[in-house]
Amino acid sequence: MRLRDRLGLSTRRQRQLSRVMQVSLIGLVFVGLYEGNAGIVLNAAIGLGVTHLPAVLERDYQISMDPALTLWITAAVFLHALGTAGLPGAAVNLYRSVWWWDHLTHTLSSSIVAATGYATARAIELHSDGVSLPDRFMFVFILLFVLAFGVFWEVIEFGVTVVASLTGTRSILVQYGLDDTMLDLLFDTLGGVIVAVWGTAHLTDLVGVLSDRFGRTDA
């Protein structure tokens, strides 16, 4: 079953939801400008840019993206940006006021990273007769790929936080300590496991498109 069928939403509805979140991200940019909060502005602006990547890939590289995958990506960046801004009238943002928000966004974001790593590796396997990736290896590969990216992201968070502290400015990314880092990596792993166990079957279309893009049309 394809991912769009599993969601139980029509293609039109999925596109509409993606558009609503994109418009909301634009709104968050203005919220950040109004509040003078560079973190909200940058997170929302970068998220908005990420939501346009599927259209860019389709236009410039002829890599067609399933609307469900686009919705998946859009939801991840939207929830992250919303978490930095919070809800109207709230004293603190959702990352601080809702204990599970950080876990949710890390799991969702890492699942996208896992899907990207899996789809690329499988496409290379289909494209090259000299590459064979057994299922057990792919499971381990997905987890290692996600963890490597997760560690890289935590290093970026630490670096940005240190620079902000030294310059006396507000950090656009916040690291709350070693315990928080370990929890982040735990939920990054969870996102990878979800893709490794249940998600790979729904990425067949993307793998085929990438493989064709690599130049093999009989895969």
Side-chain angles (χ1 to χ4, degrees):
M1 181 181 291
R2 293 181 177 180
L3 180 57
R4 57 172 168 262
D5 299 324
R6 176 71 69 178
L7 289 176
L9 298 172
S10 66
T11 296
R12 179 170 176 269
R13 185 65 66 190
Q14 292 169 31
R15 294 185 190 279
Q16 288 176 338
L17 289 173
S18 295
R19 294 290 182 269
V20 167
M21 285 187 281
Q22 285 179 320
V23 172
S24 298
L25 285 169
I26 295 174
L28 288 176
V29 171
F30 284 102
V31 168
L33 290 172
Y34 177 77
E35 296 183 355
N37 190 319
I40 296 176
V41 173
L42 288 176
N43 279 291
I46 293 173
L48 184 62
V50 170
T51 66
H52 285 88
L53 280 178
V56 172
L57 291 173
E58 187 167 2
R59 182 192 65 203
D60 296 344
Y61 300 98
Q62 292 74 54
I63 298 178
S64 181
M65 296 287 286
D66 189 302
L69 291 175
T70 301
L71 178 60
W72 185 2
I73 294 170
T74 304
V77 297
F78 170 71
L79 290 175
H80 169 66
L82 181 62
T84 64
L87 299 175
V92 293
N93 63 38
L94 291 172
Y95 276 114
R96 292 180 179 272
S97 60
V98 181
W99 67 268
W100 48 262
W101 194 267
D102 189 42
H103 306 330
L104 171 66
T105 55
H106 265 277
T107 301
L108 192 55
S109 298
S110 64
S111 69
I112 294 174
V113 173
T116 301
Y118 168 80
T120 303
R122 277 299 186 204
I124 293 173
E125 178 187 27
L126 291 176
H127 175 68
S128 175
D129 292 332
V131 176
S132 178
L133 304 175
D135 290 340
R136 289 186 178 181
F137 172 83
M138 283 304 303
F139 186 91
V140 175
F141 169 78
I142 290 173
L143 296 185
L144 292 178
F145 186 81
V146 168
L147 282 174
F149 188 89
V151 170
F152 177 67
W153 181 257
E154 294 299 324
V155 171
I156 291 177
E157 281 191 346
F158 176 77
V160 171
T161 301
V162 169
V163 171
S165 177
L166 293 175
T167 57
T169 58
R170 178 184 292 179
S171 178
I172 62 173
L173 297 172
V174 180
Q175 190 173 63
Y176 297 102
L178 181 60
D179 289 344
D180 178 68
T181 297
M182 292 299 99
L183 277 175
D184 287 347
L185 292 176
L186 175 62
F187 283 94
D188 288 343
T189 303
L190 176 60
V193 170
I194 290 173
V195 171
V197 175
W198 293 291
T200 54
H202 306 298
L203 296 169
T204 304
D205 289 348
L206 179 59
V207 170
V209 169
L210 289 175
S211 179
D212 289 343
R213 180 62 188 172
F214 289 152
R216 179 173 179 174
T217 58
D218 60 344

